[in-house]
Amino acid sequence: MALNPSRSAVSATCKALRRCGNSAQSAAQRLRQPVRQLSTSTSRRTDSFETTSEQQNRPRWSYTPERMKGPGFSINIVKDPSRTVWHNNEDPAKLDAMYNRLLGSKGDRMLPDEIKWLAITHKSFDQGRRGFNTRLAYFGRLIVSFEATRHILVTPANARDPPTQDSFGREPFQDPALANVDKLNIRQPMDVVSKDKLAKLAIDVGLPEVTRWKPRMPEHLEGSGLTAVLNTSLFAIIGAISLQHGAEVAQQVVREKILRRLGA
């Protein structure tokens, strides 16, 4: 007898739910509104992003991907419109000539076309949408620094004055393994491959004419960081050669094509 109230409550609830369902169906039939189906799959707008066969055949370095383009306007307020005009090289033959001057005969064949353009592309070019050489430059900077340090260690030291005689007859400890360490107290790797020296080398081989970047002040390239940009491109080329051909080839290029030209 104690369960009768509970059973009656359950039956009343079921009747109420059936009544609500019937009323909802009748209202939908009267309004004749189609039921909207929810789908878990995302729809694609292929009309605006669909690439043509002509775009697919173009090399990656020569265009900005459609999906990375903005709305067509910029929110930045340009104070001087003349500073927004800057033209970069798009001629592969001019780029190959620079690689031949830097790396020697057939130097343009040491890297694939895509990597050749990536190594000379600064992050300021096209807002970085076509890739840039920051990571390659970091790797190449370590290789150049290592070779400059080794060059200092293997270079014979200048003749020094003989050490003074100790009054107590003591002799300092000497070992062939420690003989070259003192050379780093006199000369540092930054003295061998300084920024100015590398920038001058880059100018001699024509790197400024092919480097892709956007200076902040086109009328004042030095104030826009031309020296740093040229150093970055040189380091990136060495880093790309190391990844493409191995560390031994990259170290040989640094010794013969960079350090020797710098008079090291």
Side-chain angles (χ1 to χ4, degrees), residues 56-249:
Q56 292 177 355
N57 294 331
R58 289 186 298 173
R60 172 68 177 83
W61 58 265
S62 63
Y63 69 98
T64 303
E66 296 295 331
R67 291 178 178 269
M68 298 188 69
K69 291 183 178 180
F73 61 90
S74 176
I75 61 176
N76 295 329
I77 300 177
V78 181
K79 297 181 180 179
D80 188 358
S82 62
R83 289 184 172 180
T84 61
V85 180
W86 180 258
H87 301 284
N88 289 279
N89 173 58
E90 296 182 358
D91 186 7
K94 192 173 183 179
L95 179 66
D96 293 341
M98 186 279 301
Y99 275 100
N100 289 330
R101 288 192 295 267
L102 176 63
L103 303 177
S105 179
K106 299 180 181 180
D108 58 323
R109 302 182 184 180
M110 294 192 68
L111 296 173
D113 291 339
E114 198 66 39
I115 305 300
K116 287 191 297 186
W117 287 97
L118 180 64
I120 51 92
T121 302
H122 190 255
K123 60 184 177 181
S124 61
F125 173 73
D126 197 18
Q127 306 296 327
R129 294 179 295 185
R130 302 191 198 181
F132 46 90
N133 56 8
T134 301
R135 294 184 179 181
L136 290 176
Y138 176 76
F139 187 36
R141 184 182 293 107
L142 297 179
I143 298 175
V144 174
S145 178
F146 172 76
E147 284 301 317
T149 303
R150 186 164 65 174
H151 169 76
I152 295 174
L153 296 180
V154 300
T155 301
N158 297 329
R160 299 181 182 179
D161 297 333
T164 57
Q165 188 69 23
D166 185 68
S167 58
F168 296 96
R170 296 172 298 183
E171 295 183 0
F173 175 78
Q174 297 182 357
D175 188 270
L178 301 176
N180 292 326
V181 176
D182 291 338
K183 296 178 182 179
L184 295 176
N185 293 329
I186 303 174
R187 199 178 186 189
Q188 292 291 322
M190 63 184 65
D191 300 329
V192 180
V193 286
S194 63
K195 292 183 178 181
D196 295 335
K197 291 182 179 180
L198 291 177
K200 186 179 182 303
L201 173 62
I203 294 174
D204 293 340
V205 300
L207 189 57
E209 286 76 17
V210 297
T211 296
R212 300 198 296 181
W213 68 305
K214 174 59 180 67
R216 183 172 61 90
M217 298 177 293
E219 72 280 1
H220 185 25
L221 297 182
E222 289 295 335
S224 301
L226 177 62
T227 301
V229 171
L230 295 179
N231 278 259
T232 301
S233 297
L234 274 179
F235 291 144
I237 293 174
I238 299 302
I241 292 175
S242 179
L243 292 176
Q244 187 72 20
H245 299 283
E248 184 177 356
V249 176

